[in-house]
Amino acid sequence: VGSDMFIVSVVDEILPTASSALNVTLELNAAGTRDINVSDVNGMSNDNCGVVSEVLDVTMLTCSSLGSSVPVTYSARDLSGNTATSRTYVTVIDVDAPVLDVKSSVTLEVGITGQALLTESDVVLSKSDNCDSSVAVMLNQTMFDCMDVGSVHAVLVTATDDVGLTTNKTVFVTVVDSVDPEFVNKPYTVYLNDAGLGNAIPFHNDTCGIENIVSSITIADCRDIADSPSTVMIYVSDLNGNFKTGQVVITVVDELPANFSVLNGSVVLDVNGDGMISASSLVSDAVDNCGVEYSSLDRNSFVCDDTNALQTVVVTVTDVNGNNASVVSYVEVLDTMGPVVEVYGSVDLHLNSSGYAVLSVSDVEMMSWDACGVFSRDLSRVLFSCEDAGESFLVNLTVTDVNGNVHVNTTRVHIYDSETPTVLAISSTVVLLDENGVGMISSGDVVDGGSSDNCMF
């Protein structure tokens, strides 16, 4: 029997079998990471000679993988180094809500604006998240005003990370108003109205509202003008118990003139051509909030020259505080006085050589005068003749002034014929005696036609 030796090499070329889940979902931990192992992908393997190792190509998941599908390869290797793989798609999720720490309560001041804004920094002590470095915080109420003063408000604080996970905490907010009310403490002027009254309370204000104001003078009147300026004590309280006291100097003034209407007047000139009018005769219904002191006219005397047109008169009413108001009135100036006329009691008028006599004003007038001027002088009769000789007549002298006023005075006029006749006689004449030896002669026998007289024979 013969024998020989040889070396036999045993080779395993059969690959192991490897399988894993097609898709898996894995959660990050509170630190924002996740160690991944074979069991997480349901890795399984088998080999004829045995599997010596199972590995994953990705062993750590982080926040950066959120929202994406991470491919992970599972590998199984046998003793001969044969390797088989399987692919699993891992979806990474974050299930840890943000960590939020807040104050249990805060106090909020509405302040001078009457409003207060609650911000994140007012209530949040800290906030964090495993994957989000800037956690968003929202308050369900941020704005407060005077209506919220005195109440405690539960404010819900919500922290939200970038995948939408939320954490809620409650903060109790107390709203307060600790600002004192204000009032004007500088000197100011109170102006009286038509009723003679004025509000003496200074301007005051409080954001949340005034509850009460007390002033040593609330309504000023005309009597306070004399005491001005005067000091007023003020106390102001608001609706939330805050108050302020102080004093302010006020000056009460009346700048309103009197109200009045005027009448149109008339003035009758006296015998001297002068006339006067008073303010009281032109002022009607003068009233003033503090009282009328006096009324005056820019002119109150009139003369004859003013009768030709209505005269403008400015009526001024002055109240007790020196305020003036002026209105124009129209005054009619009247001359109703007739002229003064004086005549001689009787006048002798002699016929002239023609048998006539003319009576003139100067024959009968002693004097006539009118303050505004005489316009005309007229006689009721001026011509007389021989028929009137030896008679007397009543003659009127009528004097009219420039304004049409008339005065009549009467005198008696006596008419005389004091002209001597002119007689021319003949140088001789013949007288025949009758049977009785008597002869007669008449004036016609001795006066020829050359004799004459103003009133004839």
Side-chain angles (χ1 to χ4, degrees):
V1 175
S3 63
D4 196 4
M5 294 182 67
F6 61 92
I7 296 173
V8 177
S9 295
V10 180
V11 177
D12 178 13
E13 293 182 348
I14 299 173
L15 298 176
T17 59
S19 66
S20 62
L22 179 62
N23 296 289
V24 296
T25 299
L26 299 179
E27 298 176 356
L28 297 177
N29 59 26
T33 62
R34 171 66 183 265
D35 293 328
I36 184 171
N37 53 49
V38 172
S39 62
D40 291 327
V41 297
N42 297 324
M44 294 183 293
S45 62
N46 188 33
D47 188 77
N48 55 352
C49 291
V51 175
V52 296
S53 68
E54 295 175 293
V55 296
L56 300 176
D57 65 342
V58 177
T59 60
M60 176 72 72
L61 298 174
T62 64
C63 295
S64 62
S65 301
L66 288 173
S68 63
S69 181
V70 179
V72 176
T73 301
Y74 164 62
S75 300
R77 184 171 62 86
D78 62 12
L79 290 171
S80 299
N82 299 306
T83 302
T85 61
S86 178
R87 179 65 57 82
T88 297
Y89 292 93
V90 178
T91 299
V92 182
I93 63 173
D94 176 20
V95 295
D96 287 321
V99 177
L100 179 63
D101 186 18
V102 299
K103 299 176 183 178
S104 60
S105 64
V106 296
T107 298
L108 205 57
E109 171 70 58
V110 292
I112 195 170
T113 64
Q115 292 182 325
L117 179 65
L118 186 67
T119 65
E120 176 184 333
S121 62
D122 294 327
V123 297
V124 175
L125 296 172
S126 65
K127 63 180 181 179
S128 62
D129 186 74
N130 56 351
C131 285
D132 188 0
S133 61
S134 58
V135 177
V137 175
M138 180 177 292
L139 312 180
N140 70 336
Q141 183 177 357
T142 58
M143 187 63 70
F144 298 85
D145 58 25
C146 294
M147 298 297 295
D148 300 309
V149 173
S151 300
V152 178
H153 304 268
V155 176
L156 182 65
V157 183
T158 301
T160 305
D161 65 14
D162 54 4
V163 296
L165 298 172
T166 61
T167 298
N168 294 321
K169 294 292 182 71
T170 299
V171 177
F172 294 97
V173 178
T174 300
V175 183
V176 298
D177 167 26
S178 60
V179 177
D180 292 336
E182 293 292 335
F183 64 86
V184 175
N185 58 2
K186 295 181 179 180
Y188 69 97
T189 301
V190 177
Y191 296 92
L192 299 183
N193 60 19
D194 290 339
L197 304 175
N199 183 9
I201 299 176
F203 175 78
H204 51 280
N205 181 57
D206 186 83
T207 303
C208 291
I210 296 294
E211 181 180 47
N212 189 30
I213 181 166
V214 178
S215 174
S216 58
I217 299 177
T218 56
I219 301 297
D221 59 30
C222 299
R223 295 170 295 181
D224 297 311
I225 295 176
D227 298 328
S228 292
S230 58
T231 300
V232 178
M233 305 303 297
I234 304 295
Y235 169 86
V236 182
S237 61
D238 68 13
L239 295 172
N240 296 312
N242 304 300
F243 67 91
K244 184 176 182 178
T245 61
Q247 62 186 29
V248 62
V249 176
I250 67 169
T251 301
V252 181
V253 299
D254 166 30
E255 293 186 345
L256 297 179
N259 291 317
F260 69 99
S261 58
V262 295
L263 304 172
N264 292 327
S266 61
V267 174
V268 177
L269 300 179
D270 60 19
V271 68
N272 296 314
D274 297 318
M276 301 284 290
I277 194 169
S278 66
S280 60
S281 66
L282 298 180
V283 175
S284 174
D285 302 324
V287 293
D288 185 79
N289 54 356
C290 290
V292 173
E293 179 74 10
Y294 62 88
S295 56
S296 60
L297 307 177
D298 66 335
R299 60 175 300 193
N300 62 357
S301 62
F302 302 89
V303 295
C304 293
D305 290 343
D306 299 319
T307 60
N308 58 355
L310 289 176
Q311 300 301 307
T312 299
V313 177
V314 178
V315 184
T316 300
V317 174
T318 304
D319 68 13
V320 294
N321 295 309
N323 301 303
N324 296 321
S326 298
V327 179
V328 172
S329 174
Y330 296 94
V331 175
E332 183 181 15
V333 181
L334 303 173
D335 171 23
T336 61
M337 299 292 294
V340 175
V341 180
E342 295 182 9
V343 298
Y344 297 105
S346 63
V347 175
D348 293 337
L349 192 63
H350 297 268
L351 299 176
N352 61 19
S353 60
S354 299
Y356 293 97
V358 177
L359 185 65
S360 67
V361 170
S362 60
D363 293 329
V364 300
E365 181 186 63
M366 293 178 61
M367 180 273 294
S368 64
W369 174 85
D370 187 85
C372 293
V374 172
F375 178 73
S376 64
R377 297 173 175 86
D378 298 294
L379 295 172
S380 59
R381 183 174 181 181
V382 296
L383 185 62
F384 297 88
S385 64
C386 294
E387 295 178 353
D388 303 314
E391 303 290 336
S392 65
F393 302 91
L394 293 176
V395 176
N396 295 327
L397 173 60
T398 300
V399 179
T400 304
D401 67 15
V402 294
N403 293 309
N405 300 301
V406 175
H407 190 178
V408 178
N409 210 340
T410 302
T411 186
R412 182 172 291 278
V413 178
H414 299 276
I415 307 301
Y416 295 97
D417 177 14
S418 57
E419 290 287 327
T420 302
T422 300
V423 178
L424 296 176
I426 60 175
S427 59
S428 64
T429 188
V430 176
V431 176
L432 297 177
L433 299 175
D434 61 12
E435 63 275 13
N436 298 314
V438 177
M440 299 292 291
I441 189 172
S442 67
S443 60
D445 295 328
V446 297
V447 178
D448 63 11
S451 299
S452 62
D453 184 74
N454 58 346
C455 287
M456 302 182 66
F457 296 106

